Amino acid sequence: MQQIGFLLYPGFQIMSLAAVSAFEFTNVELEEKVYEVRYLSEHGGPIANSLGMVMETEPFGDPAALDTLIVAGAPGIRLPNAAETDFVRAALPATRRLASICTGAFFLAEAGILDGRRATTHWYVSRELQSRYPKIKIEEDRIFIIDGSVWTSAGMTAGIDLALAMIEKDHGIEVARAVARMLVVYHRRSGGQSQFSALLELEPKSDRIQKALDFARGNLKSQLSVEELAEAAHLSPRQFSRAFRAETGQSPAKAVENLRLEAARLMMEQSRHPIDVVADETGFADRERMRRAFLRAFGQPPQAIRRNAQQELQR
């Protein structure tokens, strides 16, 4: 049975513990207790999270008793004290995996563990992490990153993706998929996937523009002309174009391209479909047009995106 330790401290963010459910339901799926979760703090005893809810914890002890240590995040930047730093540093050679969720990356950074490594954290504090610890190779737009035995994830729900990736490594993709279904989440976003969503970045203010975007996302193979989108929004083409730019700051054509890029990148990362098929399914019409769009947006062609995703899974 693998011991999963969660390092907690006063004011930790409770969303970090969402990852615990992934380990819990792995036990349910396998009908065997393959994971035991332990909650650790410097002195043990009750620890209140950022909402004031109290968790009972045990003192640190010997990190070698753990298979995996995961450091919880906080609502803001919280640096570890000397005892926490020493425990995290000692856990690197003693455990099979050392991980952080969200701003927990600052604990690993303070212990020097991330020096020379690729790492990520919540996008909101990624530049602060890079500024404080310039030896880290920050990739601020990643869901999670595996560099050797060190795992770091983005903020909030990305901890679930991190846990599902660990479960996939330990017990295979089918078990991880079954657990994801139990959690009613998408089966593990790939580590290379962006923390941002094209729809979230647009943030339309009216239901009409949102309807047009929903229509576009569901019909990427179509031409998606301004006339089609305007009809979905129940506006004239002229009214629609004016309202769309006013609410999103983008032209309809640019927004559609971003939606296509997001869908195409996801297909490249998580499927084995040929590039021609991906281009057709996402409305790029041909692979060359998609390649140019990828180079503009990501600085890499589709093949490189797929290769990076596959290498991430093999780490």
Side-chain angles (χ1 to χ4, degrees):
M1 180 169 57
Q2 296 177 27
Q3 302 286 318
I4 308 292
F6 274 78
L7 192 162
L8 306 181
Y9 45 83
F12 75 91
Q13 221 296 321
I14 194 169
M15 181 63 82
S16 299
L17 295 184
V20 172
S21 293
F23 298 114
E24 174 191 4
F25 282 110
T26 302
N27 293 340
V28 173
E29 171 64 18
L30 295 176
E31 298 181 342
E32 178 185 357
K33 194 169 184 180
V34 295
Y35 293 119
E36 180 176 36
V37 178
R38 299 165 59 184
Y39 305 101
L40 311 172
S41 66
E42 180 183 357
H43 301 294
I47 295 289
N49 65 30
S50 58
L51 291 175
M53 300 166 63
V54 175
M55 290 280 300
E56 192 64 35
T57 65
E58 58 182 282
F60 286 154
D62 183 2
L66 303 172
D67 173 83
T68 301
L69 176 65
I70 301 174
V71 181
I77 296 172
R78 198 276 199 182
L79 298 180
N81 61 32
E84 291 164 341
T85 301
D86 288 344
F87 183 67
V88 169
R89 188 180 290 122
L92 179 62
T95 61
R96 182 166 64 97
R97 288 182 297 226
L98 178 58
S100 63
I101 295 174
C102 193
T103 57
F106 283 83
F107 277 55
L108 274 57
E110 188 68 15
I113 289 166
L114 298 182
D115 287 355
R117 296 183 187 269
R118 298 166 54 243
T120 193
T121 186
H122 195 294
W123 61 267
Y124 190 73
V125 296
S126 61
R127 294 184 182 179
E128 179 66 22
L129 183 64
Q130 182 70 87
S131 175
R132 285 175 183 257
Y133 309 98
K135 294 181 181 179
I136 305 174
K137 301 172 184 176
I138 298 294
E139 297 184 21
E140 64 181 53
D141 195 25
R142 301 282 73 86
I143 295 294
F144 64 85
I145 287 175
I146 307 169
D147 191 321
S149 64
V150 178
W151 301 48
T152 53
S153 85
M156 309 306 281
T157 60
I160 298 175
D161 300 288
L162 183 82
L164 287 170
M166 290 179 174
I167 292 161
E168 183 176 323
K169 290 278 188 184
D170 294 343
H171 301 288
I173 191 168
E174 292 306 321
V175 172
R177 283 176 175 162
V179 172
R181 287 194 294 269
M182 290 182 188
L183 295 173
V184 196
V185 298
Y186 184 79
H187 172 59
R188 189 179 65 73
R189 294 173 291 181
S190 69
Q193 189 174 335
S194 172
Q195 292 187 33
F196 304 100
S197 161
L199 284 178
L200 286 176
E201 288 181 355
L202 290 167
E203 293 185 338
K205 299 177 178 62
S206 69
D207 289 342
R208 286 185 172 186
I209 301 302
Q210 184 62 61
K211 284 180 181 178
L213 286 169
D214 290 342
F215 173 81
R217 187 173 61 170
N219 296 274
L220 290 177
K221 288 186 69 173
S222 301
Q223 183 181 352
L224 293 176
S225 64
V226 170
E227 288 74 19
E228 284 182 279
L229 296 173
E231 184 177 352
H234 304 293
L235 294 168
S236 71
R238 184 176 180 181
Q239 287 176 314
F240 173 75
S241 295
R242 186 166 56 244
F244 192 95
R245 186 177 286 277
E247 292 189 25
T248 68
Q250 294 184 19
S251 69
K254 182 63 176 176
V256 167
E257 181 174 276
N258 287 339
L259 290 173
R260 285 183 166 135
L261 278 165
E262 185 172 77
R265 178 170 179 164
L266 193 60
M267 286 186 71
M268 290 301 300
E269 290 179 334
Q270 300 189 357
S271 80
R272 296 184 178 181
H273 294 307
I275 295 177
D276 289 334
V277 171
V278 175
D280 181 63
E281 288 294 319
T282 55
F284 280 106
D286 63 74
R287 61 188 296 160
E288 179 56 25
R289 182 181 169 194
M290 187 173 82
R291 188 187 73 83
R292 292 196 301 268
F294 267 60
L295 288 172
R296 286 195 303 271
F298 310 126
Q300 295 179 312
Q303 298 94 323
I305 297 290
R306 172 166 284 173
R307 184 169 57 252
N308 292 341
Q310 290 171 346
Q311 289 173 349
E312 193 76 52
L313 284 174
Q314 294 166 2
R315 290 180 188 275

